Amino acid sequence: MATLDLQNVEKHFDSVRVIQPLDLSVVHGEFVVFVGPSGCGKSTLLRMIAGLESVSSGTIRIDGKDVTNLPPVDRNVAMVFQNYALYPHMTVEENIDFGLRIGGMPKAQRREKVMEAARILKLEAYLARKPKALSGGQRQRVAIGRAIVKKPKLFLFDEPLSNLDAELRFQTRLEIAKLHQDLDATMIFVTHDQVEAMTLADRIVVLRDGRIEQIGTPMQIYDDPANVFVAGFIGSPKMNFLDASIAAVSADRAWVRIPTLAPGDYECRTLWSRPAVGTEIIVGVRSEHIDESSSAPAVPAQISILERLGSVSYAYVETSHGARLSVERRVQRGDQVGNIIQLQLMPERIFAFAKTGERL
Amino acid sequence: MIRTDPRPALLARLLLGLMVLVSLAPLLLVVINAFKSHADIVENPLSLPHSLASTNFKTAWTGGNFSVGVINSVLLTGTTVLVAVVFGALAAFPLARRRIVIWKLVTLYFLCSVTVPIQLFLFPMYFLYARLGLLGNVFATALIIAAINLPLSIMLLRTYILTIPTELDDAAFIDGASPWQTFRYVILPLMKPGCVTVAVIVSLNTWNEFLITSTFQQGDAGFTMTLGYHAMAGAMSPDLGIMMAGACIVIVPIIAFFLFLQRLFIDGMTAGTAGAVKG
């Protein structure tokens, strides 16, 4: 069993606080992804868990044991770095073997473990090569091999796919997902790529400015974002945000007035609270939650840009009152730039946020 | 196809050729005249030798006491290089990797030790060495020359280590390596080109060193190649042929050494750590 608990963990460099006090519990076998924009502190947090970065205050526990002040080797963690960090003067075999050799394991046993890791990662044919004679994908597999050979309690990945091309990234992503299943290991994965986060994670931790914005399963985060930042960060194209006000409120829903769309009120059924009538808010709606419909209150909008991706197209439209929206188009193959289309927002998919960003 | 004007490239080659000639001409003159008699040199220093007789070399070898000098020079240079590279690398690693608050002060200290003239220390050092009975001891003298070369060695090696990605240190740390193991198994092997560069520079400095050696390596048994040549110049200065042959004997080993390490030296000046990280 390998669990991870962060309690009130905080980090500051001199006077700059890069990680606000935060709590996080990861259960055994869970795949947790830290996601956030550049500079949000996700890599620092990972390095703190690894033991490469000291903790200013708070406690880190692995399997219940306080490891806050222990070096990485005593935490029994393995880390895969963004730029692989392979030892260039060593062969693939020596690279994978290095940690075991340092740990003083007998040679025969080491060899067996290295071969096993090489077999899992299909690296047998490259064991005698130096890293510079490998492709980017192979190098990344060696880096992963170096991690799995130690059978760590916790795998830490620091943006391991960001140096790979699109095709290889997709493949390696599948390999990591499979590895997670096969090894039954607890993994923490840092990325700024929301697609990686959505596809790999059991749970996503969205970070901004060293603070956790939301923790949840990918679909929880997508379907029920806690604030404007999370709503805007997860999902592509980005969620549409429009200024609005509360026109009426009932027990479980509200009617919002969005002046830049069309006259009339739009029903919102996703409320977390009961905002007062007249409150100025921000309304969020994803592109796939805008349907074509002529029933009231329909919004006429003109297509200004059209992105065709094959299975789906995205129309960037402008309403006569000045709102700009991205709209997913699946079946409407005849769309042309300049066409006027009638749009309808799905009431169960309209999110209301306070002007300060929190979900209402 | 774009046609480029070949004239600038031609001019550049011509200039480079001229510079090579200017650099090599004195050396060539020394080699040519080493095979000529004094009278022939005085008559026409640019004429080619009549034969490739080794008489001048034999006389110079004995006159300069080079059989002793070559051993002392090799020992002195070897020890100096060893000390400068080993201690330079050991000092450069923490200086490159640790966050050192007084780094500017350390740099200033090194700069001072490079700029302050060695003559200031010469006499106190001489008396200290005399009192310790270390005069004429090549290994003890090598320590002084190594100390003079250390600041430059440390600065060069530190700069070299800075080109090695710190992720490698992190990876080694995660793998359970201590700072010493990280240095020994990861950083040091990658520093090899940098160490060769330092070794070449320090060995050139040491081989040609005169001031320290002439002060501390006194007596015939302590002579290095340069001291031997200097002594020979006093005794045999009228014979230019022998002087030229002596000069050849002094410079040939160091040129051979440089040519042997040339490829690694140039690697050291230009190397990165390809393959260590993304590529």
Side-chain angles (χ1 to χ4, degrees):
Chain A
M1 294 291 280
T3 58
L4 170 72
D5 283 293
L6 306 184
Q7 284 172 351
N8 227 7
V9 166
E10 185 184 352
K11 172 80 185 172
H12 40 79
F13 291 114
D14 301 324
S15 60
V16 184
R17 202 189 246 188
V18 288
I19 298 290
Q20 315 276 349
L22 58 81
D23 296 307
L24 176 71
S25 284
V26 178
V27 299
H28 171 73
E30 203 174 13
F31 198 122
V32 172
V33 174
F34 293 171
V35 70
S38 298
C40 70
K42 54 192 187 300
S43 284
T44 307
L45 186 58
L46 193 79
R47 289 172 63 84
M48 286 158 71
I49 296 168
L52 291 174
E53 212 65 77
S54 64
V55 174
S56 302
S57 69
T59 320
I60 298 176
R61 288 176 201 279
I62 294 175
D63 270 352
K65 180 184 167 193
D66 185 350
V67 297
T68 315
N69 297 312
L70 293 184
V73 67
D74 295 330
R75 300 182 184 206
N76 203 356
V77 297
M79 186 157 165
V80 176
F81 294 86
Q82 179 176 4
N83 50 15
Y84 324 134
L86 301 180
Y87 311 122
H89 56 297
M90 297 185 196
T91 62
V92 168
E93 183 172 356
E94 287 163 346
N95 261 284
I96 299 176
D97 182 48
F98 185 73
L100 304 178
R101 184 156 64 105
I102 291 289
M105 188 182 280
K107 198 170 181 183
Q109 208 177 335
R110 268 160 43 199
R111 172 91 187 151
E112 198 178 304
K113 281 179 177 282
V114 170
M115 293 312 287
E116 189 194 342
R119 189 181 47 73
I120 293 171
L121 295 163
K122 301 188 189 71
L123 284 169
E124 292 115 313
Y126 308 108
L127 285 174
R129 288 199 196 172
K130 295 257 176 84
K132 69 176 170 205
L134 300 177
S135 69
Q138 288 163 343
R139 286 182 199 177
Q140 193 52 281
R141 289 220 297 279
V142 177
I144 294 171
R146 205 165 56 179
I148 64 172
V149 77
K150 294 194 292 180
K151 298 225 174 342
K153 286 182 175 173
L154 201 58
F155 282 92
L156 307 171
F157 294 89
D158 190 4
E159 306 213 27
L161 309 182
S162 56
N163 284 333
L164 304 178
D165 61 46
E167 172 64 24
L168 212 51
R169 195 179 308 169
F170 170 72
Q171 263 178 33
T172 315
R173 205 167 71 206
L174 291 183
E175 279 172 22
I176 291 176
K178 187 168 180 312
L179 205 66
H180 176 236
Q181 282 174 5
D182 293 349
L183 298 176
D184 187 29
T186 312
M187 293 186 174
I188 308 225
F189 188 102
V190 161
T191 180
H192 62 267
D193 180 359
Q194 48 150 323
V195 178
E196 280 170 24
M198 292 294 285
T199 50
L200 285 170
D202 291 324
R203 272 195 307 156
I204 292 177
V205 177
V206 185
L207 289 153
R208 180 175 59 154
D209 297 337
R211 217 179 26 246
I212 294 179
E213 294 286 334
Q214 190 172 3
I215 305 176
T217 65
M219 292 321 288
Q220 274 171 358
I221 300 263
Y222 189 80
D223 287 339
D224 219 6
N227 53 48
V228 168
F229 173 76
V230 174
F233 189 76
I234 301 287
S236 175
K238 197 177 166 179
M239 186 185 271
N240 298 295
F241 293 110
L242 299 162
D243 286 329
S245 60
I246 301 285
V249 183
S250 77
D252 63 344
R253 64 194 65 179
W255 282 263
V256 296
R257 189 160 296 159
I258 310 172
T260 51
L261 284 187
D265 298 335
Y266 298 83
E267 196 180 334
C268 167
R269 298 182 200 157
T270 59
L271 289 183
W272 282 7
S273 60
R274 281 195 70 178
V277 173
T279 312
E280 295 289 314
I281 63 163
I282 298 167
V283 154
V285 60
R286 294 195 190 278
S287 58
E288 71 268 31
H289 300 139
I290 305 176
D291 271 349
E292 184 157 23
S293 163
S294 51
S295 60
V299 184
Q302 186 174 33
I303 300 176
S304 53
I305 295 171
L306 203 55
E307 279 182 357
R308 298 182 200 274
L309 303 181
S311 62
V312 66
S313 299
Y314 292 102
Y316 294 89
V317 303
E318 196 167 342
T319 65
S320 54
H321 294 88
R324 289 162 194 268
L325 301 167
S326 62
V327 182
E328 187 182 294
R329 309 284 280 170
R330 282 199 176 269
V331 290
Q332 302 85 345
R333 298 261 164 155
D335 278 350
Q336 293 294 336
V337 170
N339 283 5
I340 306 276
I341 51 178
Q342 298 292 328
L343 301 174
Q344 179 86 53
L345 313 186
M346 292 183 186
E348 66 277 16
R349 294 295 191 178
I350 298 177
F351 301 108
F353 301 99
K355 281 284 184 189
T356 48
E358 307 89 59
R359 179 80 177 275
L360 290 173
Chain B
M1 205 173 124
I2 302 164
R3 293 190 61 147
T4 50
D5 189 352
R7 278 173 297 184
L10 207 68
L11 194 72
R13 276 162 195 242
L14 209 69
L15 265 173
L16 283 174
L18 202 69
M19 281 163 73
V20 170
L21 202 69
V22 168
S23 313
L24 289 184
L27 200 64
L28 195 70
L29 220 54
V30 170
V31 175
I32 290 171
N33 288 322
F35 293 99
K36 285 156 60 176
S37 68
H38 179 71
D40 286 348
I41 298 171
V42 172
E43 192 187 324
N44 181 5
L46 298 177
S47 68
L48 289 175
H50 300 301
S51 68
L52 294 177
S54 58
T55 340
N56 284 346
F57 287 91
K58 281 177 185 158
T59 319
W61 184 265
T62 41
N65 200 12
F66 286 137
S67 51
V68 173
V70 73
I71 293 170
N72 280 335
S73 278
V74 167
L75 286 178
L76 185 79
T77 307
T79 312
T80 309
V81 167
L82 195 73
V83 172
V85 171
V86 169
F87 286 88
L90 283 171
F93 179 55
L95 286 175
R97 287 302 197 236
R98 295 270 163 110
R99 281 213 313 173
I100 295 171
V101 187
I102 54 159
W103 167 239
K104 280 192 176 156
L105 272 177
V106 176
T107 316
L108 197 69
Y109 169 70
F110 285 151
L111 276 178
C112 284
S113 55
V114 175
T115 48
V116 171
I118 183 65
Q119 285 83 347
L120 284 180
F121 306 107
L122 218 48
F123 290 106
M125 284 293 288
Y126 181 83
F127 287 118
L128 184 70
Y129 264 48
R131 188 62 65 87
L132 292 172
L134 292 173
L135 290 180
N137 183 329
V138 277
F139 301 107
T141 309
L143 280 186
I144 301 175
I145 304 175
I148 295 167
N149 280 288
L150 257 177
L152 180 72
S153 309
I154 293 170
M155 295 293 222
L156 279 175
L157 290 173
R158 176 181 173 269
T159 313
Y160 195 82
I161 294 175
L162 289 176
T163 67
I164 300 172
T166 50
E167 280 87 348
L168 293 183
D169 301 52
D170 288 343
F173 193 36
I174 291 262
D175 275 339
S178 64
W180 166 249
Q181 286 170 320
T182 305
F183 174 73
R184 167 71 188 81
Y185 296 117
V186 179
I187 302 298
L188 193 59
L190 295 176
M191 279 172 72
K192 209 158 67 184
C195 290
V196 169
T197 309
V198 168
V200 168
I201 294 171
V202 172
S203 57
L204 284 175
N205 286 347
T206 313
W207 191 270
N208 297 327
E209 214 290 325
F210 185 75
L211 181 66
I212 305 291
T213 38
S214 63
T215 310
F216 291 90
Q217 289 299 109
Q218 292 180 348
D220 283 358
F223 269 20
T224 59
M225 296 284 268
T226 35
L227 292 182
Y229 184 69
H230 182 251
M232 190 182 82
M236 302 185 180
S237 56
D239 195 319
L240 285 174
I242 296 170
M243 290 307 297
M244 297 294 170
C248 283
I249 293 170
V250 174
I251 58 178
V252 159
I254 198 73
I255 289 178
F257 176 71
F258 184 77
L259 289 178
F260 173 66
L261 290 177
Q262 184 198 28
R263 198 181 56 80
L264 282 171
F265 177 74
I266 289 165
D267 277 357
M269 298 300 242
T270 55
T273 42
V277 291
K278 67 171 177 174

